[in-house]
Amino acid sequence: MRPIPLSARFPDYEFDDPSREFYDDYQTIFDGYIDNNGEATIGYALETDYPSPGMLTARFSGKVYEEGGNFSVDNFSLPFYPYSSFVGIKTPKGDASRGMLLTDVDHTVEVVSLDPEGNPNGRRTVEMEVYKINWRWWWDRSYESISNYVGNSSYRVVSKKTINTTDGRGEFKFQVKYPDWGRYYVRVCDSESNHCTGKIVYIDWPGWAGRAQKDNPGGASMLSFATDKSKYAVGEEVKVTIPGSDNGRALISIEGGSKVIQTNWLETEQGENIFRFQTSPEMAPNVYINVTLVQPHG
């Protein structure tokens, strides 16, 4: 069984809970003989031993043997709704380049409560929580879990409230104050059905998307930058916005699939720094921009 989207009518909403881990479970539900009509009646109630992240798909496989040793196999799937109702959340999109949200700003999270078919249900009590979660080692992607990290494991609740949905819809606001920053997990739960959903968002100060993580030992600094467009034609100018510090230097390397096309040094100032370069035919169909920011000692 694996999670699947709840409804195509709500493509911008999340309906699965990343904090609930779920694994395939194989069970034999019938082992016997068919009757003289070549039929067998099988009764089985689908259920899970632990809470699932959301809606599931149940896969069935049947095999019938003949007396001579030949056999026939058939497979089919059915949607499985572990909960009587589901909640979904839609978080703000954030900035265009990184999806980053800002500190000291109210962020509105939209909530929907639906029946298994995706229809809005009646008034529901929904519990909302926002967690601050530690940054994991960003180069290790072998185990995706928001509560277990390679470097360390911890969380804290920064906001908690209860809201009601009317005609299947509701919303709530939360805000993170400067100088706090980092990864936050926004989670909502239907108190009646016990279904939960959530999404991780990144919140930072204006003009920044990464910083030296002296408070997060074991993790490296991650510098985040953006280009002014997602696609360029040959001969166009590319504008790269890079966060920096006073008296710093940024080494910018433009690389193709097999070689380094060009490198440049950029003297940086506090805040946003602009680097420009022209695209060339050897940059087609795409290139990678690598930036290393060197800051003064201390």
Side-chain angles (χ1 to χ4, degrees):
M1 298 180 181
R2 297 186 184 279
I4 62 175
L6 180 65
S7 174
R9 291 192 293 169
F10 296 90
D12 296 328
Y13 286 77
E14 298 289 337
F15 291 94
D16 290 332
D17 185 3
S19 68
R20 288 178 173 174
E21 298 176 353
F22 196 84
Y23 303 95
D24 291 349
D25 183 23
Y26 299 91
Q27 300 178 9
T28 300
I29 62 176
F30 179 81
D31 186 1
Y33 294 90
I34 59 176
D35 58 23
N36 293 332
N37 297 321
E39 299 177 349
T41 301
I42 303 172
Y44 180 70
L46 284 174
E47 58 184 17
T48 58
D49 295 330
Y50 40 89
S52 72
M55 181 180 168
L56 303 172
T57 294
R59 297 187 176 93
F60 296 87
S61 178
K63 182 180 290 186
V64 179
Y65 291 90
E66 300 177 4
E67 292 184 357
N70 290 333
F71 60 88
S72 299
V73 178
D74 188 25
N75 298 278
F76 65 95
S77 300
L78 291 174
F80 174 40
Y81 307 97
Y83 305 98
S84 59
S85 62
F86 293 82
V87 286
I89 62 168
K90 178 182 177 182
T91 56
K93 292 184 178 180
D95 63 22
S97 59
R98 298 175 295 264
M100 186 186 78
L101 304 180
L102 300 178
T103 57
D104 301 313
V105 175
D106 281 336
H107 300 294
T108 301
V109 178
E110 300 178 39
V111 180
V112 292
S113 56
L114 312 170
D115 64 18
E117 285 71 39
N119 302 309
N121 54 23
R123 190 177 185 88
R124 312 289 290 189
T125 300
V126 178
E127 298 176 353
M128 180 278 295
E129 294 175 317
V130 179
Y131 296 87
K132 172 66 182 296
I133 53 179
N134 281 358
W135 193 273
R136 61 167 169 259
W137 284 12
W138 57 271
W139 58 83
D140 191 317
R141 298 176 180 271
S142 60
Y143 187 62
E144 293 292 335
S145 174
I146 67 165
S147 57
N148 296 280
Y149 302 96
V150 176
N152 44 55
S153 301
S154 67
Y155 65 85
R156 62 182 174 90
V157 179
V158 297
S159 181
K160 185 175 183 178
K161 64 178 66 174
T162 300
I163 65 171
N164 292 317
T165 60
T166 304
D167 296 327
R169 292 186 178 272
E171 66 177 37
F172 64 86
K173 299 180 185 295
F174 74 97
Q175 183 179 132
V176 174
K177 295 291 188 181
Y178 174 90
D180 214 350
W181 62 276
R183 299 165 70 238
Y184 291 81
Y185 179 53
V186 183
R187 189 175 192 241
V188 298
C189 294
D190 186 328
S191 59
E192 299 177 46
S193 70
N194 196 37
H195 173 252
C196 298
T197 185
K199 186 174 182 180
I200 296 174
V201 298
Y202 185 75
I203 302 177
D204 210 335
W205 314 342
W208 288 87
R211 59 195 70 250
Q213 298 177 20
K214 60 184 180 181
D215 297 327
N216 292 274
S221 301
M222 184 170 65
L223 183 70
S224 185
F225 56 93
T227 56
D228 57 333
K229 296 196 303 182
S230 59
K231 296 181 179 180
Y232 298 88
V234 173
E236 281 192 273
E237 182 184 73
V238 180
K239 184 174 73 172
V240 185
T241 303
I242 305 170
S245 60
D246 286 333
N247 301 317
R249 300 187 74 198
L251 175 60
I252 303 164
S253 174
I254 303 172
E255 305 171 5
S258 59
K259 66 176 182 178
V260 176
I261 298 174
Q262 62 175 265
T263 58
N264 300 270
W265 280 102
L266 176 69
E267 304 291 334
T268 64
E269 300 176 349
Q270 183 67 37
E272 294 187 348
N273 298 264
I274 304 299
F275 171 74
R276 294 178 171 86
F277 68 93
Q278 297 290 130
T279 58
S280 61
E282 60 183 338
M283 296 181 183
N286 55 57
V287 290
Y288 299 92
I289 304 173
N290 291 300
V291 180
T292 302
L293 178 64
V294 181
Q295 298 173 299
H297 178 71

